[in-house]
Amino acid sequence: MSTGEVAIRIRSVGHQFGEVGEARHIRALADTSLDIVRGELLCLIGPSGCGKSTLLNVIGGLLAPTSGTVEVAGKPVHGPMPHDIAYIFQENALFPWNTVDENVRLGMLFQGVPKAEHAARAQQSLQAVGLAEFADHYPAQLSGGMRQRASLARALSLQTGILLMDEPFGALDEQTRMILGEDLSVLLARTEKTIVFVTHSLGEAVFLADRVAVFSARPGTVKKIIRIDEPHPRNPAFVTSEKFTALRNELYALLHDEIRKAVGSDAPRGRRGANGGAP
Ligand SMILES: Nc1ncnc2c1ncn2[C@@H]1O[C@H](COP(=O)(O)OP(=O)(O)O)[C@@H](O)[C@H]1O
Ligand SMILES: [Mg+2]
């Protein structure tokens, strides 16, 4: 549910690792400006290595950009803002020797949530992701999809306005990813959260996003923004609609040339059909 108010203001952000002349010098991100609106889910897609995770780390205050500025809720970002921003990574960062419930509580402990609120918040967030029955299980007793649900519950329990998700379903099989996507869409419809979601999957981007920012090859910058005008929660039938296919194809065409640039070679002659050789 978007209000039109800017939650994350990114202005001319660039980042380079190392110094010019050093062997490890790399321009990861170039002159990126973007307004992320409160309550929207913005997907970032782009070739591998184009700076998506770098941008997420800059937004989260884990990395200071070498140029440009980021503001979250009107405040300049100079470091982590645990009360405003929660992270979810591809590799769930659950502690294996703690139960699901303990893992959720540890997140709140690190963020400084008053102890008296832990039990209720843990229960509520585990319920929201469908894991209430598994509160006392250990990560090793859960499937990959359930572990990512637990990571999501931990992030939700922090009650931040912003979630940064870096390929959160990237290690999961297609079916699990689809179900988690559907459930996330239902969750979204009920909250005011602003989500920045990095994904490799064009289908996932179209299914989840309110807008998709397509990044260019490194040094990455926003090449184009595609709006996905479809209310949340998204109906699973959306996936089989013509609208979905058309949007997915549009993203594919935009991304394809950038991936070629990133790989550093041209398509072999005669293999570049009208659909760019789409699978
Ligand atoms: N800590 C680092 N030191 C040096 N180079 C890095 C570091 N982190 C990322 N890079 C490089 O910066 C570029 C962008 O990385 P990243 O943001 O992780 O890309 P993406 O998430 O889009 O795949 C890549 O070439 C990567 O190798
Ligand atoms: Mg990445």
Side-chain angles (χ1 to χ4, degrees):
M1 192 61 32
S2 155
T3 55
E5 177 191 326
V6 175
I8 304 171
R9 193 183 301 275
I10 300 165
R11 285 293 174 275
S12 308
V13 164
H15 192 73
Q16 53 183 35
F17 292 100
E19 297 298 325
V20 180
E22 283 179 6
R24 70 180 198 103
H25 173 254
I26 207 157
R27 281 182 69 212
L29 200 63
D31 196 23
T32 296
S33 296
L34 194 60
D35 280 347
I36 303 173
V37 174
R38 180 154 179 247
E40 81 168 329
L41 190 150
L42 180 90
C43 271
L44 307 182
I45 64 167
S48 211
C50 75
K52 303 180 294 295
S53 296
T54 301
L55 180 60
L56 225 55
N57 291 338
V58 167
I59 297 171
L62 304 180
L63 187 68
T66 43
S67 58
T69 56
V70 177
E71 280 177 19
V72 165
K75 295 171 283 186
V77 174
H78 292 304
M81 302 166 81
H83 293 278
D84 297 289
I85 298 177
Y87 254 99
I88 298 166
F89 299 99
Q90 176 171 336
E91 299 306 330
N92 74 76
L94 300 173
F95 296 112
W97 53 84
N98 288 113
T99 64
V100 168
D101 181 64
E102 288 163 353
N103 267 286
V104 173
R105 287 164 185 257
L106 278 168
M108 290 187 271
L109 190 69
F110 295 146
Q111 198 217 41
V113 175
K115 270 247 166 81
E117 291 180 33
H118 289 197
R121 284 209 206 178
Q123 195 188 9
Q124 189 189 12
S125 61
L126 286 170
Q127 207 139 34
V129 303
L131 274 190
E133 321 254 282
F134 295 89
D136 296 328
H137 284 56
Y138 287 87
Q141 296 173 298
L142 305 179
S143 67
M146 289 159 90
R147 286 199 285 268
Q148 282 311 67
R149 285 178 192 274
S151 298
L152 182 59
R154 183 170 56 187
L156 291 174
S157 76
L158 302 178
Q159 298 184 353
T160 61
I162 296 172
L163 287 181
L164 303 179
M165 305 179 78
D166 199 350
E167 302 194 38
F169 308 148
L172 305 176
D173 63 81
E174 191 64 32
Q175 283 85 4
T176 305
R177 174 187 273 242
M178 208 162 64
I179 297 302
L180 279 174
E182 287 174 11
D183 292 353
L184 182 61
S185 178
V186 170
L187 267 174
L188 286 189
R190 293 200 209 122
T191 68
E192 277 279 288
K193 286 201 191 296
T194 309
I195 304 188
V196 190
F197 190 108
V198 176
T199 179
H200 267 116
S201 162
L202 301 179
E204 190 167 78
V206 174
F207 187 75
L208 286 174
D210 295 298
R211 292 188 302 155
V212 182
V214 182
F215 272 67
S216 66
R218 190 179 63 232
T221 192
V222 178
K223 177 179 174 177
K224 184 144 191 199
I225 292 183
I226 304 287
R227 184 172 291 282
I228 314 288
D229 217 345
E230 180 80 15
H232 288 283
R234 300 249 161 107
N235 192 321
F238 177 41
V239 177
T240 54
S241 67
E242 276 177 34
K243 178 177 172 184
F244 185 94
T245 307
L247 286 163
R248 193 185 176 286
N249 289 349
E250 189 179 356
L251 286 182
Y252 182 86
L254 284 167
L255 195 58
H256 181 265
D257 292 342
E258 298 307 321
I259 292 173
R260 276 282 169 206
K261 281 183 214 159
V263 170
S265 66
D266 279 328
R269 274 180 175 279
R271 289 201 47 210
R272 227 170 178 170
N275 67 351

